[in-house]
DNA sequence: CAGCTTCATGAACGACCGTTAGGCTAGTGC
DNA sequence: GCACTAGCCTAACGGTCGTTCATGAAGCTG
């Protein structure tokens, strides 16, 4: 017994995860540039030099976190959309999943969003391209909804920006210990989004408006 | 004649403005923590030590910029709302002005929003309180609109978060050289917001939906 | 011109940064 | 038991940071 992590113990891959967890919390709280490798190491229970056994640089930690977040976000939203057949149904499912995912991983979401500018040109361009592609998925759902007569909106691009901004922002204010469960918050956002697009409320699987 | 700013010239208050302008651009582009006093000084055409004649610290520059932005934003929105008589009219005017103001001052908006965490506890609490108060103004307009039967919304607090996030986000993507004029973007957001709240389109001064 | 204030300078301080070099040690493969 | 590697360490590197200090030119006041 007693495999407890002692001072100086070797933990292998567990160390890598400890580094990532420490980095996500510190980056989210202090910002990437205000966080030092020494802080990350201390929070992970190792010495600064040990980080370089797992990551080639500080920036590599950041890009790893951001790539992981985008991977899992895209996977979750793709899966949610796959079960729908109409543009309105797809968008409702995508919005719901986007909100829930951001509520479950607020720090990773925040770090991915707000630390884009901390990246050097190449990874920066890569991440921006990924987010543009993700936004394009929402815009296309809106455009298809307009063509199908399900939505009525002046400008699908502006609408997609507005939708993603308000839903992503849930990561900024949602409190797991607060009054509103995440599922309720997600449902409210689906209502707001569909209403903003002038969606008819018929057969999209939506519940009643009143609480 | 020739009062041109030479190397080593004394510019008095103009130096203060040069520092603020340089800081706003650099903070917005690189982030507060990634921007050095030496960069600000170089961009303002002075030596680092001269900054300390106008500001007691680096953080004081940031708080000055943030306070100025909030002052002018509140003033602009208050003035816009003052001319309206119904909750829906007030909210429409507030959204319009909020969007326009953020489109006109995107860097200041971005610095105010995203560098809250760079502040030390006391100024941080002050700025958060100010933003909470500003958000409360929007929430109250929504609540009054619900009471007056003009809006239909599950949760006014969540709605106000959603509205402010999508409108504030305009500062992140609006391009003055792009296709859409700021006034059009503002109008689209008024449409989206009013629609999301289930507002009736009667006598709120709104134009037609199409185009 | 004398005295004072304003505005800016060059030089330097101690602190902390990301990163690296090199060594120790526990565990594995033979 | 011996070589080898993975994992982590201590120590230190060169560099940059925010800030301070002493100094002085320029301009106002009398």
């Amino acid at each position: 017994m007693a495999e407890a992590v002692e001072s100086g113990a070797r933990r292998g891959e567990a160390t890598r995860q400890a580094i990532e967890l420490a980095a996500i919390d510190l980056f989210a709280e202090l910002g990437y540039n205000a966080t030092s490798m020494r802080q990350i190491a201390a929070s992970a229970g190792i010495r600064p030099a040990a980080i370089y056994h797992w990551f080639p640089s500080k920036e590599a930690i950041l890009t790893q976190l951001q790539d992981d977040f985008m991977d899992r976000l895209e996977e979750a939203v793709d899966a949610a959309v796959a079960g729908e057949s109409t543009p309105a149904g797809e968008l409702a499912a995508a919005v719901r999943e986007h909100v829930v995912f951001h509520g479950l991983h607020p720090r990773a979401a925040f770090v991915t969003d707000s630390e884009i500018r901390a990246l050097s040109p190449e990874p920066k361009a890569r991440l921006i391209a990924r987010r543009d592609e993700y936004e394009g998925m929402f815009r296309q759902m809106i455009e298809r909804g307009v063509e199908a007569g399900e939505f009525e909106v002046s400008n699908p691009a502006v609408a997609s920006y507005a939708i993603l901004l308000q839903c992503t922002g849930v990561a900024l204010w949602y409190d797991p210990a607060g009054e509103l469960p995440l599922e309720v918050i997600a449902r409210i956002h689906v209502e707001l989004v569909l209403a903003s697009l002038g969606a008819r409320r018929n057969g999209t699987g939506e519940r009643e408006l009143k609480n």
Side-chain angles (χ1 to χ4, degrees), chain A residues 4-203:
Chain A
V5 175
E6 301 166 13
S7 164
R10 295 164 182 233
R11 297 173 296 170
E13 277 290 332
T15 297
R16 185 188 196 96
Q17 290 182 23
I19 294 168
E20 291 187 10
L21 287 176
I24 245 188
D25 284 344
L26 288 166
F27 289 169
E29 188 183 359
L30 309 172
Y32 172 79
N33 280 295
T35 301
S36 71
M37 294 295 262
R38 286 163 178 82
Q39 283 176 293
I40 296 171
S43 179
I46 54 175
R47 306 292 157 180
I51 297 179
Y52 289 86
H53 182 76
W54 301 98
F55 296 91
S57 68
K58 186 185 177 187
E59 186 177 22
I61 304 177
L62 178 58
T63 55
Q64 172 82 249
L65 296 176
Q66 293 172 325
D67 285 343
D68 282 356
F69 178 79
M70 288 302 294
D71 284 344
R72 293 186 296 157
L73 173 64
E74 287 175 4
E75 185 185 340
V77 172
D78 282 348
V81 167
E84 301 292 331
S85 53
T86 66
E90 285 178 0
L91 185 64
V95 164
R96 201 206 80 95
E97 190 59 37
H98 183 95
V99 169
V100 168
F101 197 84
H102 279 69
L104 290 176
H105 310 288
R107 295 177 307 276
F110 187 57
V111 169
T112 302
D113 270 4
S114 65
E115 297 296 0
I116 294 181
R117 66 179 171 184
L119 296 167
S120 52
E122 192 239 315
K124 182 178 191 168
R126 263 185 40 236
L127 181 55
I128 289 177
R130 262 194 103 160
R131 292 202 75 82
D132 285 350
E133 188 185 6
Y134 183 76
E135 180 269 327
M137 189 179 69
F138 280 76
R139 186 174 52 219
Q140 285 166 19
M141 288 189 285
I142 297 171
E143 287 167 349
R144 288 202 306 272
V146 170
E147 290 169 12
E150 294 177 344
F151 298 148
E152 184 179 4
V153 59
S154 310
N155 189 303
V158 175
S160 73
Y161 296 153
I163 289 168
L164 284 176
L165 283 164
Q166 74 190 72
C167 293
T168 299
V170 168
L172 298 176
W173 58 264
Y174 165 63
D175 174 14
E179 294 181 5
L180 290 171
L182 188 52
E183 292 291 340
V184 172
I185 293 172
R187 184 171 55 75
I188 295 174
H189 276 87
V190 171
E191 290 173 6
L192 289 169
V193 164
L194 290 181
S196 76
L197 301 180
R200 290 148 188 68
R201 269 167 238 286
N202 54 354

